[in-house]
Amino acid sequence: MTEIEKVKEIEKTEREKIRESIKMRKEKQKLGQFEKATVECPECGSHTLVHDYERAELVCNECGLVVDADFIDQGPEWRAFDHDQRMKRSRVGAPMTYTIHDKGLSTMIDWRNRDSYGKSISSKSRAQLYRLRKWQRRIRVSNATERNLAFALSELDRMASALGLSRNVRETAAVVYRKAVEKNLIRGRSIEGVAAAALYAACRQCNVPRTLDEIGEVSRVSRKEIGRTYRFISRELGLKLIPTSPIDYVPRFCSGLNLRGEVQSKAVEILRQASEKELTSGRGPTGVAAAAIYIASILCGDRRTQREVAEVAGITEVTIRNRYKELAEELDIEIIL
């Protein structure tokens, strides 16, 4: 009798488990249908849904059906009409960034002796504020690793500013350097060399090419050291970077030579024809780009001398002569000098 009771109890628990699993499956299906309904119109099946923030409604752009109503506005409750008002009314700090060693999450005590209302702080509190400011600077960098990281990121920012690089390139370079620190690739190498190599890798990742010579001019290490360190960190971190295309250099060189958009388009067209005939492989991208710009400037009647193009591209006149002769012969371009 006891064994029969045990068997019945086991069967009962198994039935309860099956019921619970069926119930969970139904709830998941309901959630899936709700999520599908929020991104797809149930009437016409369209995916072009528009948020009407004045009426707090989600409306289908095709058939006009109100899919959802009374949704919550995730934005701030205040309004601002210019940048100053937005900065005054905002109650949050700057966004997180990898270009600062603590990712911008620490507190900064301002150097101005004023409170949050803009009023001047009394002379009694100024001595205490000075001490707080001094200790705040000290505790931001707690150990040698953070000190080295802070120095490296400031060096990255200095080089990026000298080269006129955008924010996303700086962020990418900081991420590459942090990965190198995590894998202990800095040991035995100079911080400046690894920072310069990380910046060069970030430029190639973001399709904003800069040559090793340009990086070497703004850094405190040699071109050879940057190239060697770059090859090492790209191998260790598994950075898959495609070779730089000469087309990526055309906008910058044309801007430096004050050429029209017509010349730039013609140079890109010449380079595409050259890449189809595999004339760009095995040659320096800057030299090929400079030669294409030189040819395009002559064809479009906005002539620039070989010396002017060579100075902007950072190469010699001999390189331009050799490359433009190759392109003109292979692509059957008649150049009247």
Side-chain angles (χ1 to χ4, degrees):
M1 190 68 183
T2 53
E3 290 179 1
I4 294 169
E5 287 177 356
K6 285 180 181 178
V7 170
K8 284 182 179 178
E9 284 179 3
I10 292 168
E11 288 177 353
K12 188 179 178 182
T13 53
E14 285 179 355
R15 280 197 297 271
E16 286 177 356
K17 284 180 181 178
I18 291 166
R19 283 198 202 98
E20 285 179 3
S21 64
I22 292 167
K23 190 178 178 182
M24 290 284 289
R25 200 179 300 129
K26 285 181 180 178
E27 287 178 358
K28 285 180 180 178
Q29 284 176 357
K30 284 181 182 177
L31 284 170
Q33 286 172 1
F34 176 74
E35 288 174 2
K36 189 179 179 183
T38 56
V39 296
E40 186 181 281
C41 177
E43 188 72 24
C44 64
S46 173
H47 292 276
T48 55
L49 305 180
V50 181
H51 287 89
D52 188 352
Y53 290 102
E54 291 182 0
R55 295 183 177 85
E57 292 175 349
L58 184 65
V59 185
C60 176
N61 203 29
E62 298 292 332
C63 64
L65 180 74
V66 178
V67 179
D68 190 15
D70 299 329
F71 60 82
I72 299 169
D73 185 7
Q74 303 292 336
E77 82 283 0
W78 44 262
R79 292 191 303 168
F81 299 99
D82 56 15
H83 180 70
D84 293 335
Q85 281 187 1
R86 194 176 295 109
M87 294 301 292
K88 282 179 182 177
R89 294 176 183 177
S90 177
R91 294 187 292 274
V92 295
M96 191 184 77
T97 174
Y98 288 101
T99 56
I100 305 173
H101 73 281
D102 53 12
K103 298 181 182 178
L105 300 175
S106 62
T107 308
M108 277 292 294
I109 301 176
D110 197 16
W111 58 270
R112 289 169 292 193
N113 292 319
R114 294 184 179 277
D115 61 9
S116 59
Y117 297 101
K119 296 178 182 177
S120 181
I121 292 172
S122 63
S123 56
K124 292 181 181 178
S125 305
R126 284 188 184 182
Q128 183 184 3
L129 191 63
Y130 173 77
R131 287 194 299 273
L132 285 170
R133 196 182 290 122
K134 181 174 68 176
W135 280 106
Q136 176 65 19
R137 281 199 306 269
R138 288 179 180 176
I139 64 172
R140 277 191 76 190
V141 182
S142 56
N143 52 27
T145 306
E146 284 193 6
R147 197 179 305 115
N148 291 340
L149 185 61
F151 173 72
L153 294 176
S154 65
E155 185 72 10
L156 266 176
D157 196 56
R158 183 190 65 80
M159 290 188 290
S161 297
L163 291 169
L165 296 172
S166 59
R167 171 61 58 184
N168 67 320
V169 179
R170 300 180 192 206
E171 291 283 345
T172 308
V175 170
V176 171
Y177 187 85
R178 285 173 183 272
K179 286 180 180 177
V181 171
E182 286 174 8
K183 289 207 170 186
N184 202 19
L185 304 179
I186 315 297
R187 188 180 294 277
R189 289 170 181 79
S190 65
I191 293 173
E192 293 93 340
V194 179
L199 187 62
Y200 178 68
C203 287
R204 290 189 61 172
Q205 278 185 340
C206 298
N207 294 323
V208 186
R210 293 291 185 273
T211 60
L212 281 172
D213 293 317
E214 289 176 297
I215 302 285
E217 283 176 8
V218 298
S219 68
R220 297 190 176 97
V221 290
S222 65
R223 178 188 184 278
K224 187 179 179 182
E225 176 69 21
I226 296 168
R228 187 165 56 234
T229 310
Y230 163 71
R231 287 190 294 273
F232 173 72
I233 65 170
S234 63
R235 186 176 65 250
E236 292 295 322
L237 296 178
L239 301 177
K240 295 178 181 177
L241 302 171
I242 58 172
T244 308
S245 172
I247 296 173
D248 295 334
Y249 290 96
V250 171
R252 186 159 58 93
F253 292 169
C254 287
S255 177
L257 291 164
N258 294 322
L259 291 168
R260 302 194 309 268
E262 180 190 353
V263 180
Q264 183 175 327
S265 302
K266 188 66 178 175
V268 170
E269 183 187 337
I270 291 167
L271 288 171
R272 284 192 177 133
Q273 292 174 3
S275 62
E276 285 173 5
K277 292 191 175 184
E278 297 182 354
L279 300 176
T280 58
S281 59
R283 292 166 179 81
T286 51
V288 179
I293 291 168
Y294 176 67
I295 295 169
S297 69
I298 295 170
L299 294 175
C300 296
D302 196 0
R303 188 187 292 268
R304 294 290 185 274
T305 62
Q306 291 179 6
R307 180 176 293 178
E308 288 173 332
V309 179
E311 285 176 358
V312 169
I315 55 175
T316 61
E317 296 174 46
V318 179
T319 305
I320 292 179
R321 275 196 291 274
N322 293 334
R323 294 292 168 267
Y324 104 79
K325 284 175 183 176
E326 287 175 7
L327 292 175
E329 286 175 9
E330 294 293 333
L331 300 176
D332 296 327
I333 300 171
E334 291 185 7
I335 300 172
I336 300 170
L337 297 172

